[in-house]
Amino acid sequence: MNRQQLIDAAVAARRQAYAPYSEFRVGAAIETVSGEMFVGCNVENASYGLTICAERVAVCAAVATGQREFVGCAVVTSGGAMPCGACRQFLAEFAARLPVLIVDADSGEVVAETDIGELLPGRFRLREDV
Ligand code: THU
């Protein structure tokens, strides 16, 4: 996992956040096994429930190019918030033990280093073979 590149990519993506309702900006970056970086930011909507989180945007960006093997993820927010439950399940679909760096946008520091197995023990699985 290329930590600094992941963090820099997530910080840059956070600048693109569309968050006029909550004003809570989130940037995420995910690194593929081949070292490519994909990014996401939160995209809010006037119909609140349609809002998409940064982590899920990043995963979708990667999957849409045919990449599904991930080696690391960084999430950047003011204060270093943890990923929501929906995003944990979404990340867990592709990597049960994906390392996750939680970064405080204000200091630029990694405030927590964890992985998806720790964040979401007992993820929902529909089939054992997928
Ligand atoms: N948000 C994310 O982008 N990722 C998370 O893991 C939690 C929440 C966004 C959604 C919404 O735009 C804003 O943060 C406040 O909930």
Side-chain angles (χ1 to χ4, degrees):
M1 174 172 59
N2 190 331
R3 296 167 63 94
Q4 199 53 52
Q5 216 180 309
L6 255 181
I7 294 167
D8 292 346
V11 166
R14 182 171 174 268
R15 295 194 196 107
Q16 309 303 329
Y18 176 71
Y21 304 105
S22 72
E23 294 182 0
F24 187 74
R25 304 161 78 81
V26 187
I30 192 159
E31 182 179 352
T32 69
V33 71
S34 60
E36 262 185 276
M37 302 284 169
F38 289 88
V39 299
C41 61
N42 53 331
V43 183
E44 297 188 344
N45 190 271
S47 180
Y48 284 9
L50 296 181
T51 291
I52 310 174
C53 292
E55 299 90 320
R56 280 179 282 159
V57 171
V59 170
C60 289
V63 171
T65 72
Q67 319 273 335
R68 295 180 193 159
E69 280 185 71
F70 307 129
V71 297
C73 176
V75 182
V76 182
T77 58
S78 178
M82 302 300 287
C84 77
C87 289
R88 295 177 193 204
Q89 176 71 30
F90 209 83
L91 289 162
E93 178 74 19
F94 298 101
R97 302 296 309 189
L98 183 73
V100 179
L101 304 174
I102 305 296
V103 181
D104 176 8
D106 308 318
S107 65
E109 298 295 321
V110 174
V111 294
E113 189 163 352
T114 180
D115 73 68
I116 281 297
E118 199 170 82
L119 290 174
L120 185 68
R123 72 184 167 106
F124 172 67
R125 299 188 73 182
L126 190 58
R127 283 170 46 179
E128 295 299 313
D129 60 332
V130 177

